[in-house]
Every structure is written in structure tokens, then in C-alpha cells.
Amino acid sequence: MKFSQYLRQAMGKALQQVDPSSLRVRLTVGVAAVSAVGLGGVAFWTSWKMQQILVATHKQTVEYIADRFPTDVEIYSDMMSLESGVPRAIANLTNVNTLLWVRHPDGRVGARSLRLSAGAEATPLLSLPQKPFPPQVQLLNGRYWVLCATPLQVEGENLGMLYVAQDITNDQVMFFSLVRTLGFASLLAIAGMTIAIAIYIQRSLQPLQRMSQLTENISAEDLGEARIHLDNPPSEVRELVQTFDKMLVRLFEAWEQQRQFVSNVSHELRTPLTIVSGYLQSTLRRGDNLREPQREALEIAASEAERTIHLLKDLLDLARADSGHRHFQLEPVVLNDLVEEVASMARQYSDRVINVASTIPTLSSVSQIITAKADAHRLKQVLLNLIDNAVKYSHPDHPVTLNLKEQGEWAMIQVCDQGTGIPLPQQTRIFERFYRVDETRARSTGGTGLGLSIVKTLVEGMGGTVSVRSQLGEGSTFTVTLPNAESK
Ligand code: ADP
């Protein structure tokens, strides 16, 4: 790739990354514009002033020569005739850049500097109008001249018009190259200043960026301990950090109150509801004399009471998981044993086939012992929840499989089913509280929409993650990843 192409691509990428609404870009553009106007203004004014001085000096010289010429002619005509005095005075005042000539009243050009006898520059100069004009700059045949014309009177006699011309082309060329250098230097200075300003502004805004990174990582669970710490921030940012920290404290208090409220309400409702459910069950058991509509109504009431008790239990679990992450008893747990134990527990409450990959002879990949840093009790709860879902959302003939593997510093347990699967857009949402993919189906399966959020809260509380991979109609695999026991 050519260097110019590479440069264009790099600039294109850099421009794409520029956010015109960011404070950094706005400040940089603002300060750079002000400095460009300031520096550009100074450079322009300096050039203009220099040009003025240069031209004024030449005009003064031309004026001085025109003033002195009659006196010189008078002096020479004392020594010789007036006709010989004029060329003598012209020869005396002529030099490399200064030319003089006289035009008689009848329009003829009389005495002149030697350079004007021939050459391309003679024609435009000698054809200047025969009337007086003050010193002025004119561009003739590509050369710059300072010209003036004055009537020539010597000892009362009118000799015609005296012309004085000074060639200032060399000075002008030098001046233009100076202006170009000045312009180029100003551009370089503006570019350098803009880069320096951009870097300085970027550095000044770094505390704000750091603050945004820190706040991004604060979750509802660690509101209590989350504080923003910046090294030596500017006082404005320090004030902002303090206000932010106070807001975090208020948020934590409100969050705690809400959690406490949910926990208390769930607790208070669970006991009477359990009693109601108990009475309904015993009435149904002993209700031989109940008529069919009465039995049906009681069965609906009992099933709804059961569902609500389940919901309250989930809410309590969630409240405990939310507040209890500080009380997790993390210790090395042999996952091979724990997975076997959970599988046999699950087999007891459902008549589903539950396989553990390590126990299947063909899948001998899990021959080694895998240990993770976890709370055994909560991890069992997590796996039972996932197995419960796998059973709920798959056909009774299809088995549920538990996989165990290790990857670097992480241990993984997978719960796989061959059930209905979850549509891709919903896969990120199923871990939200009360979210259910299909309300009608969830109601028939008795779900509350809290199971997976309890799983997520518990796993994250143990320093792990939970994820899902699912294909509609083919099944789902939930993966719980935990730090292995050796990792720090
Ligand atoms: P629920 O109590 O309704 O099962 P969860 O939080 O456990 O609530 O799950 C949320 C939603 O995710 C469920 O309503 C269900 O639609 C979907 N889901 C969870 N696990 C599976 C699975 N193994 N297969 C298919 N869908 C699932």
C-alpha cells in the first residue's frame, strides 16, 4: 500500500473516532481557533507594516532625488551650459536602481539615464503620462517601480517634466519570500499549538473519564462499598466525586430499604399463605361430600396459593442473595462430587434421566478432579434451579445432561437440555427479574420469572458468571463459570 493511501486511511479512522460533541473536541477547536486568529492576525499585521515601511522609505528617496535635482542642475550649469548641466546631474544621481529622465515641454524625451537608452524596460517608463504625480508604486513589465514626476524649473526656465524611477523588484521579491516564510512558520506554530492544546485538554479531562469508568462498574450489589477514588483530581472534579459518593450512599440506603421491605413482606405473607394452603389441601383430601364445582374452585385456590408461596420463597431467596453476598462461605469445593450429589437430588424429585458427563464412559474427558472456589450450599441451589428449568422446558423423554470442564483459571458446569430453546433476542433478558419468554407457557409450568435472576445473583456473588447458548427447537445450555480453587 502506498504511503499516501495509508495516511489517508489512518486519517479517516482518526476522524471517525472524533466525537464532535465531546468537551475535548469542543475545547480544542475553540482554543485552536482563538490562537489561529491571534497568531494569524499578528503575522498579517507584521507583514502589512513591513510593506508600508519598505515602500515609504523608497518614496522618501525618490522624493529627495526629485527635490535635489534642480539644485544639482544649477550647480553644474554655473560650470557649463544648461543643456550640458542636465545630463550631468542625471548621470550623477543615477545608480543601479535609480533612473532619471527629462521630457521637454514639446513631448520629446531629453536627457536620460544610460539604462534607458535601450532595453525592454525603457519603453513603458518613457511612455508615462506627461503630468506631475506623487511617488507611487507601479508594476511595469513584471518589475516593481517607485515612480514620481515633477515639473523641472531651473533659474526660472521651464525645462519640462523630471521623472525619477526606483526599481524595488529585488526588495519586493525578498519581502514576498519573507511573508511566505512567516505564513508557513505561523501555520506550523498553529498546528503545534493545536496538538499541544489537544494533549493538555485530554489530560485535564482524564479524571472525568476515570470517574465514568469507575461508576460503570458499580452494580446494585456493591453500592454499599462503592466509593470513587481518584489520585489528585482538580478541585472541581473532587467536588463532583464527593457529591457522587454522597448520592451512592443515599442510593444504597434506598436500595437496602426496598430490599428489606420485600423481604419482610414475603416473610409476613408466606406463613399465613402456607396455613391457607394447608387448610385447602386437607379440605380437598377429606372433602368426599364436595360437589364438583366446589372441588374445582378449591383446587384452583390451592394451586394459586401454592404458586404464590413459591413466588414468595423465590423473592426471599433473591433478597437473601442480594444482601448475603458478603456472607458467602467461599472454600474449595470438589465439583465432581457436588455435581453427582445434585444430579441424584434432582433425580429424586423428577423422574427425568439426568446424566453427568464424567460418569458416561465414552465421555471420559472429565477424568481429573475439578475444584472451584464456591459456596457449596448456594452452588447446589443454582444447579437445582437450572436443572428444574431444563426439566420444565423440555420433553419428558429427553434427558438432561450435566457437563464439567476446566479452562485455564476457570471451572465450568454446564446444564444442557434438548428442549424448546430460547429465541436469540430474549437470551440476554431471561436473567432479568420477572422476565419470562412466554407468559402463557410460564404460567402453565408454574414459573415466577425469578429463578434465573436468583441464579445470576448467586453465581456473581461467588465471583463467577452465568451464560446461555440456545437454539430454538434444539435445546439450551446454561454455563456456570467459577474461579477454580488454585486461582487467586
Ligand atoms: P421461570 O420461573 O419462569 O422458569 P426463570 O427466571 O427460571 O423463570 O426463567 C426465565 C425464562 O427463561 C422462563 O420463563 C423461560 O421462558 C426461559 N427459560 C429458562 N430456562 C430455560 C430452558 N432451559 N429452556 C427454555 N427456556 C428457558
Side-chain angles (χ1 to χ4, degrees):
M1 195 193 295
K2 275 191 198 154
F3 180 70
S4 60
Q5 261 178 327
Y6 173 78
L7 200 71
R8 223 174 298 142
Q9 271 185 9
M11 275 177 71
K13 263 191 207 156
L15 278 178
Q16 270 174 8
Q17 281 173 3
V18 170
D19 174 10
S21 59
S22 76
L23 198 57
R24 181 160 72 104
V25 172
R26 285 185 192 187
L27 281 176
T28 309
V29 170
V31 178
V34 169
S35 51
V37 169
L39 214 67
V42 170
F44 179 78
W45 185 84
T46 313
S47 316
W48 180 77
K49 201 70 200 162
M50 268 163 56
Q51 165 81 333
Q52 294 279 309
I53 292 169
L54 188 80
V55 169
T57 315
H58 285 295
K59 281 181 178 172
Q60 270 173 12
T61 315
V62 167
E63 222 163 16
Y64 168 75
I65 292 171
D67 283 351
R68 180 185 152 170
F69 188 79
T71 323
D72 277 17
V73 174
E74 267 172 35
I75 294 169
Y76 284 121
S77 55
D78 282 350
M79 295 183 264
M80 52 191 85
S81 68
L82 191 59
E83 284 73 37
S84 320
V86 173
R88 193 60 202 267
I90 286 180
N92 189 34
L93 290 170
T94 298
N95 64 32
V96 194
N97 292 324
T98 314
L99 307 176
L100 296 99
W101 68 101
V102 174
R103 194 190 281 272
H104 296 301
D106 56 9
R108 255 182 329 107
V109 176
R112 66 188 88 168
S113 301
L114 208 59
R115 205 170 128 188
L116 286 171
S117 307
E121 63 197 16
T123 326
L125 286 173
L126 296 181
S127 47
L128 284 171
Q130 192 171 7
K131 57 176 187 197
F133 54 85
Q136 56 188 245
V137 179
Q138 278 192 33
L139 180 65
L140 299 173
N141 267 10
R143 297 196 77 81
Y144 290 91
W145 297 92
V146 175
L147 303 162
C148 88
T150 51
L152 179 60
Q153 289 218 334
V154 179
E155 293 169 350
E157 191 179 333
N158 180 16
L159 296 183
M161 194 70 73
L162 169 72
Y163 294 87
V164 183
Q166 194 160 47
D167 187 353
I168 59 164
T169 311
N170 288 346
D171 286 0
Q172 285 292 83
V173 167
M174 253 172 61
F175 169 74
F176 288 142
S177 97
L178 197 78
V179 168
R180 263 199 303 279
T181 313
L182 196 69
F184 186 65
S186 308
L187 277 181
L188 271 185
I190 290 169
M193 263 167 71
T194 307
I195 293 172
I197 288 164
I199 294 173
Y200 181 73
I201 290 175
Q202 153 106 356
R203 284 183 169 221
S204 308
L205 292 178
Q206 248 165 15
L208 283 179
Q209 271 172 348
R210 180 93 192 97
M211 197 176 151
S212 136
Q213 282 164 359
L214 288 174
T215 43
E216 212 172 62
N217 296 331
I218 299 175
S219 65
E221 281 69 38
D222 42 47
L223 269 178
E225 289 125 43
R227 291 292 170 272
I228 294 177
H229 177 76
L230 298 177
D231 290 331
N232 215 2
S235 51
E236 293 85 351
V237 178
R238 195 179 313 129
E239 242 172 70
L240 187 66
V241 167
Q242 281 165 357
T243 318
F244 215 86
D245 277 347
K246 281 183 199 154
M247 191 188 74
L248 283 178
V249 171
R250 286 200 301 277
L251 267 178
F252 173 66
E253 284 167 3
W255 176 248
E256 274 295 315
Q257 273 175 11
Q258 190 212 346
R259 199 154 53 189
Q260 200 56 47
F261 175 75
V262 173
S263 165
N264 290 347
V265 170
S266 312
H267 200 266
E268 289 302 316
L269 288 179
R270 205 160 73 133
T271 319
L273 254 178
T274 312
I275 296 170
V276 169
S277 171
Y279 275 123
L280 286 171
Q281 301 286 359
S282 71
T283 313
L284 272 169
R285 266 198 308 277
R286 288 196 231 116
D288 303 331
N289 51 350
L290 287 173
R291 276 183 284 128
E292 202 40 44
Q294 287 174 322
R295 173 172 288 280
E296 213 172 282
L298 281 179
E299 272 170 1
I300 292 172
S303 121
E304 284 301 308
E306 206 47 50
R307 217 176 68 79
T308 317
I309 290 169
H310 190 65
L311 171 71
L312 291 174
K313 182 186 153 296
D314 277 356
L315 277 175
L316 265 176
D317 276 349
L318 203 54
R320 278 198 205 111
D322 276 345
S323 62
H325 73 282
R326 277 171 252 117
H327 315 298
F328 279 19
Q329 310 239 302
L330 298 181
E331 52 191 11
V333 176
V334 178
L335 295 184
N336 309 55
D337 296 345
L338 185 132
V339 168
E340 282 291 356
E341 193 185 335
V342 170
S344 61
M345 279 165 79
R347 282 182 204 117
Q348 279 170 22
Y349 72 77
S350 86
D351 42 14
R352 188 65 66 92
V353 176
I354 295 175
N355 296 323
V356 177
S358 56
T359 60
I360 302 171
T362 47
L363 292 171
S364 54
S365 60
V366 190
S367 51
Q368 90 265 37
I369 300 293
I370 299 178
T371 47
K373 221 187 284 167
D375 183 319
H377 175 67
R378 313 233 179 186
L379 186 53
K380 278 185 211 167
Q381 195 181 346
V382 164
L383 294 179
L384 284 173
N385 246 321
L386 292 176
I387 296 173
D388 189 34
N389 276 352
V391 169
K392 262 194 307 193
Y393 301 108
S394 66
H395 194 271
D397 294 342
H398 289 149
V400 172
T401 308
L402 303 184
N403 262 325
L404 189 56
K405 49 184 181 179
E406 197 168 32
Q407 244 175 40
E409 295 201 327
W410 300 95
M412 294 171 177
I413 310 168
Q414 291 181 320
V415 179
C416 320
D417 65 58
Q418 298 160 24
T420 53
I422 306 158
L424 191 63
Q426 270 94 338
Q427 284 179 20
T428 47
R429 301 207 56 198
I430 52 173
F431 296 99
E432 291 171 16
R433 294 177 185 192
F434 293 108
Y435 187 83
R436 283 181 250 179
V437 174
D438 180 350
E439 280 291 326
T440 46
R441 196 184 66 188
R443 211 159 226 290
S444 67
T445 52
T448 58
L450 285 175
L452 286 181
S453 46
I454 294 174
V455 165
K456 188 170 175 325
T457 313
L458 289 178
V459 173
E460 286 180 354
M462 290 185 270
T465 56
V466 58
S467 62
V468 64
R469 233 183 42 229
S470 182
Q471 193 97 40
L472 263 188
E474 285 184 22
S476 316
T477 297
F478 283 84
T479 308
V480 173
T481 308
L482 291 165
N484 68 18
E486 283 90 46
S487 63
K488 293 198 186 101

